[in-house]
Amino acid sequence: MELQEKITILSGAARYDASCASSGSNREGSAGGTGNTSQGGICHSWADDGRCISLLKILLSNDCRYDCAYCVNRSSSPVPRASFTAREVVDLTMEFYRRNYIEGLFLSSAVNVSPDHTMEAMVRVAEILRNEERFGGYIHLKIIPGSSPELVRRAGLAADRISVNIELPSSESLQRLAPQKKKEAILAPMKLIGAEAGASLVERRKSRKAPRFAPAGQSTQMIIGASPETDLQILRLSQGLYSRMNLKRVYYSAFVPVNSDNRLPVLSAPPLLREHRLYQADWLLRFYGFSAEEILSDDAPNLDESFDPKTAWALRHPEFFPVEVNRASYATLLRVPGIGVTSARRIIAARRFAPVTPEGMKKIGVVMKRAKYFITCSGRPFERVDHQPARLRQRLLLGDGSEAKLPRQLVLPGMG
Amino acid sequence: MNQYLYDGTPEGLVSAIASILDSGENPEEAHLAVRQDMLFEEGLFLRTDSAFAEALFERLRQRAPDAVQTLWYFMMAEADGLETSLLRYIALAFEHGDRVNGYLTHTSVKAIVGTARKAGRELHRMKGLMRFEQLRDGAWLARMEPDCNVMHPLARHFSRRLRAQEWFIFDARRRSAAHWDGHDLSFGTLEQFSRPELSLEERAVQQLWQTFFKTIAIPERKNPRLQQSNMPAKYWKYLTEKQGE
């Protein structure tokens, strides 16, 4: 088979994995070697779907023995099958990297003979890159559930980031849609990775020469909308993964119906808005000090389509507002719709010099369109505003006539 | 409001700012611009003195290293008409030290920091969007036309990253070039530039990348507007994956 054709099949099969991050690792290049990594990550292109391309995202093989209902590569699907040799992936990575197309490699694979057989082949690609090609760029390896601890360890030593996909938000759904995958086989490597990464940090504190284990940490991804879980269930799961498993990122992938299967819902389009809202809520968990239970409740277990989750929270908590921007703490500022992490830090830096005025808020970059209903500047409200929740909802939704309403734009977060 | 003029060079700008600050003039009351040599032009012309400029830099480095960093990015942006803002920014940097960059509610600070950030953003962008092509003799060439003059930091980035290969970067807008020979980095200008011939396998690798670029997008999520807002069309000219569009 021609290399062109293999790339078509094996990148087409890999595109449903949402992760593209190349951040979190800071490796200097070795003399005579090729490549280094950049702490903040670098995007090299943006595909026709608007998502960033940072890594050569590819499957080693799409020849799968599993028959997961949601997956484009399931064994009963009539798609053409292909496999790369290790050398082919190594050469592609090096050729692309030398031309500055990519930050590195994201390698995943379908499972054919056994999890260990596939995992071993994937680890070998990474080891050839590191040892023979002296490649210092970014490597993200997918961990195949059920692979042996020894292979997971080797993967962590060769890669910057490793990830085990949790696939679906509950074990019931996993059992129904991916009966050959077991919850334990997913959680066991996750725990192992967390423990190994922690141990490596301790060792490196003693000696700079101790090997790094997955310096960019681990991430995971789940499919949204292929199974009946509520957003609250999903956010609770993510919250647990962040706090107990120490994950760097949880990715949400809107279900794209690629197979017809009577266990799957019939959708006219992938639930992109829901995915977008989940990412916003995920940001609130990680950077804004919110808990899943503050964002959603058992009475209202799904995210609002019309409002971002922070605005929705603010509308439910009129007693918290207005916030006085010249006195409020960082944590309080972060709760104001329209004020993000950057603007909250800037407000605190700027008010050391002089009280921040509404004009100053705009200079700082606060989204006043939303924030103006929730703040005062030195005791003065930004403008005469009706704080009745129902009226406020309406104004936020329709604008106050002074500006055109922005169309909904769905943005997949790139870095982090 | 007192009007001052300088010769339009970066060095002249810093030297003029040093003179004004040394004169005890209130920077919030002073105005600085490039001399146009027009008949009725008003203002005091400040002669460029490189020792003056050097001394100001050194004092600023001691007092506010972050502001020097900002200044460096600001110069990369090659922005016109912000001399007065720069004067006031530097005065504030001497007064407040590195905290000055937090004073975003001050119009001059906002203008300088904002302009510097624009250059920083483009530098970061170019680290991703530059494309090297392999030439017949085995060396590599990347061409670009960035808005800001990001050549120096960009070349340093690639001297750490692609250190095992010989390469050139050419800025077609400024006709400037960088060269890495595997050990050392050098800079220069090119009056004449003709694109050298590519290596025999270059087209084949470019086609592999174009194929990857097409198939990695999820067809059900096609979103050309989002693609363009992340990767403005002005950068497409030299992007391998955007050739022929």
Side-chain angles (χ1 to χ4, degrees):
Chain A
M1 190 186 280
E2 286 281 320
L3 202 51
Q4 288 279 2
E5 201 180 340
K6 284 193 185 180
I7 291 188
T8 307
I9 294 170
L10 293 167
S11 66
R15 65 190 171 206
Y16 300 97
D17 217 299
S19 167
C20 81
S22 57
S23 56
S25 180
N26 201 352
R27 181 184 313 101
E28 306 224 351
S30 62
T34 291
N36 57 3
T37 58
S38 149
Q39 184 64 33
I42 296 175
C43 291
H44 285 256
S45 194
W46 281 267
D48 291 340
D49 55 13
R51 298 191 302 167
C52 122
I53 300 175
S54 181
L55 304 171
L56 169 61
K57 192 189 292 178
I58 207 122
L59 299 191
L60 190 56
S61 166
N62 71 336
D63 197 356
C64 201
R65 66 172 189 169
Y66 296 143
D67 201 36
C68 310
Y70 51 82
C71 182
V72 67
N73 302 312
R74 63 187 291 188
S75 56
S76 58
S77 161
V79 296
R81 306 286 168 171
S83 301
F84 281 122
T85 64
R87 185 35 69 181
E88 283 170 331
V89 178
V90 168
D91 288 347
L92 266 181
T93 306
M94 294 307 293
E95 292 295 342
F96 282 8
Y97 194 88
R98 287 195 185 102
R99 288 167 177 77
N100 201 41
Y101 299 162
I102 53 171
E103 278 300 284
L105 174 67
F106 175 114
L107 189 62
S108 181
S109 185
V111 179
N112 195 322
V113 179
S114 71
D116 268 358
H117 184 265
T118 301
M119 197 68 241
E120 153 86 354
M122 290 166 64
V123 169
R124 222 156 47 82
V125 171
E127 289 175 345
I128 294 174
L129 277 169
R130 291 287 191 235
N131 304 331
E132 289 177 27
E133 303 291 334
R134 306 184 64 193
F135 177 66
Y138 199 93
I139 299 179
H140 180 156
L141 284 181
K142 197 54 80 179
I143 298 294
I144 306 297
S147 24
S148 66
E150 191 39 43
L151 284 169
V152 175
R153 278 191 202 101
R154 273 171 63 191
L157 290 174
D160 293 281
R161 172 169 283 186
I162 47 184
S163 59
V164 198
N165 280 359
I166 206 157
E167 306 287 8
L168 293 160
S170 74
S171 47
E172 298 77 49
S173 293
L174 194 66
Q175 198 161 31
R176 204 161 54 83
L177 299 179
Q180 290 143 302
K181 289 189 179 161
K182 298 281 169 270
K183 182 183 156 197
E184 295 69 35
I186 294 170
L187 292 182
M190 263 187 185
K191 284 182 195 146
L192 177 65
I193 294 165
E196 289 285 332
S200 153
L201 283 181
V202 172
E203 284 305 308
R204 282 184 63 81
R205 246 175 254 137
K206 288 185 217 150
S207 156
R208 294 293 303 265
K209 292 210 176 76
R212 285 171 204 265
F213 187 91
Q218 64 168 325
S219 62
T220 190
Q221 108 158 7
M222 58 179 103
I223 298 160
I224 300 308
S227 51
E229 291 79 13
T230 63
D231 292 340
L232 178 58
Q233 279 173 283
I234 292 168
L235 285 184
R236 277 197 176 129
L237 176 60
S238 300
Q239 184 167 271
L241 289 169
Y242 288 130
S243 62
R244 282 196 296 279
M245 294 282 202
N246 213 358
L247 261 73
K248 280 281 190 309
R249 277 296 290 274
V250 175
Y251 289 93
Y252 310 93
S253 171
F255 171 56
V256 180
V258 284
N259 306 308
S260 58
D261 186 304
N262 58 15
R263 289 168 293 172
L264 292 172
V266 178
L267 305 172
S268 58
L272 296 184
L273 180 58
R274 185 178 179 202
E275 179 196 274
H276 179 59
R277 291 278 180 252
L278 279 166
Y279 274 116
Q280 291 178 317
D282 186 272
W283 245 252
L284 293 187
L285 294 181
R286 288 190 295 147
F287 304 117
Y288 288 78
F290 281 80
S291 67
E293 291 71 22
E294 280 180 296
I295 300 167
L296 294 166
S297 64
D298 290 323
D299 303 330
N302 288 304
L303 293 165
D304 199 322
E305 290 216 338
S306 316
F307 297 104
D308 66 86
K310 192 156 78 164
T311 302
W313 178 85
L315 287 168
R316 287 197 307 275
H317 293 274
E319 76 285 354
F320 193 84
F321 299 99
V323 164
E324 169 51 50
V325 295
N326 283 305
R327 273 200 312 276
S329 68
Y330 177 71
T332 304
L333 285 172
L334 280 183
R335 299 242 155 186
V336 178
I339 298 183
V341 170
T342 307
S343 15
R345 284 203 193 113
R346 287 185 187 164
I347 289 170
I348 288 178
R351 70 190 188 192
R352 288 202 194 124
F353 295 91
V356 177
T357 60
E359 196 46 46
M361 293 288 279
K362 281 185 190 158
K363 284 208 189 100
I364 279 168
V366 172
V367 185
M368 290 302 280
K369 192 168 54 116
R370 281 203 294 284
K372 65 182 176 188
Y373 303 108
F374 301 100
I375 55 171
T376 56
C377 297
S378 305
R380 280 190 300 277
F382 181 69
E383 58 177 46
R384 202 171 288 281
V385 183
D386 191 339
H387 283 286
Q388 257 192 299
R391 204 96 41 96
L392 200 50
R393 280 180 87 87
Q394 202 180 16
R395 292 192 67 174
L396 274 164
L397 209 50
L398 302 174
D400 51 13
S402 62
E403 72 259 314
K405 192 173 181 299
L406 285 175
R408 276 180 193 160
Q409 193 179 26
L410 304 169
V411 181
L412 257 186
M415 334 289 301
Chain B
M1 191 74 68
N2 288 323
Q3 182 82 24
Y4 296 93
L5 303 169
Y6 76 105
D7 63 8
T9 63
E11 199 181 37
L13 174 58
V14 180
S15 152
I17 288 173
S19 314
I20 298 170
L21 293 181
D22 278 0
S23 72
E25 165 78 273
N26 176 5
E28 297 288 331
E29 293 289 323
H31 195 268
L32 178 62
V34 180
R35 181 172 64 177
Q36 307 291 337
D37 275 329
M38 287 187 301
L39 193 53
F40 297 110
E41 200 168 28
E42 282 189 39
L44 176 64
F45 178 72
L46 299 170
R47 202 172 47 81
T48 297
D49 182 334
S50 53
F52 242 56
E54 199 60 42
L56 179 84
F57 249 120
E58 203 37 58
R59 274 190 293 144
L60 194 60
R61 213 187 305 277
Q62 301 286 327
R63 176 74 179 115
D66 283 4
V68 172
Q69 184 82 357
T70 304
L71 193 60
W72 190 58
Y73 276 99
F74 172 81
M75 292 296 191
M76 275 165 34
E78 299 175 338
D80 291 327
L82 287 173
E83 289 86 355
T84 304
S85 297
L86 190 66
L87 166 68
R88 293 175 188 171
Y89 171 80
I90 290 179
L92 287 166
F94 277 117
E95 187 179 339
H96 299 289
D98 272 342
R99 285 188 355 191
V100 65
N101 283 357
Y103 197 178
L104 284 179
T105 47
H106 191 290
T107 307
S108 298
V109 177
K110 165 82 180 166
I112 300 305
V113 171
T115 306
R117 243 185 234 135
K118 185 179 147 235
R121 258 200 310 274
E122 190 169 42
L123 169 62
H124 181 76
R125 217 170 216 167
M126 291 314 296
K127 286 181 184 173
L129 294 180
M130 281 247 298
R131 296 289 178 262
F132 284 95
E133 295 179 302
Q134 192 176 34
L135 308 178
R136 192 57 65 85
D137 67 1
W140 302 77
L141 170 69
R143 295 166 299 148
M144 61 174 185
E145 290 176 31
D147 293 336
C148 304
N149 191 1
V150 296
M151 180 66 93
H152 277 73
L154 192 62
R156 271 194 292 277
H157 167 78
F158 284 107
S159 71
R160 290 186 291 264
R161 167 160 293 204
L162 301 176
R163 53 205 285 180
Q165 64 198 54
E166 181 183 10
W167 49 253
F168 298 85
I169 300 173
F170 179 58
D171 181 336
R173 173 173 293 193
R174 297 170 185 79
R175 310 208 70 76
S176 61
H179 175 218
W180 170 256
D181 64 4
H183 303 282
D184 294 300
L185 194 56
S186 52
F187 297 93
T189 52
L190 284 178
E191 281 317 315
Q192 295 259 309
F193 177 82
S194 57
R195 201 173 156 201
E197 270 197 78
L198 300 179
S199 75
L200 295 173
E201 61 275 16
E202 181 59 25
R203 286 282 171 242
V205 178
Q206 293 188 356
Q207 272 166 19
L208 293 175
W209 171 243
Q210 284 158 352
T211 302
F212 174 79
F213 180 77
K214 279 283 160 249
T215 47
I216 200 66
I218 300 177
E220 292 86 347
R221 302 183 61 134
K222 210 167 159 46
N223 193 342
R225 237 188 34 176
L226 180 57
Q227 179 188 39
Q228 225 190 104
S229 78
N230 283 320
M231 187 167 71
K234 65 181 173 189
Y235 297 111
W236 293 7
K237 184 170 171 189
Y238 297 112
L239 281 180
T240 312
E241 60 271 34
K242 281 291 181 186
Q243 296 310 303
E245 292 213 7

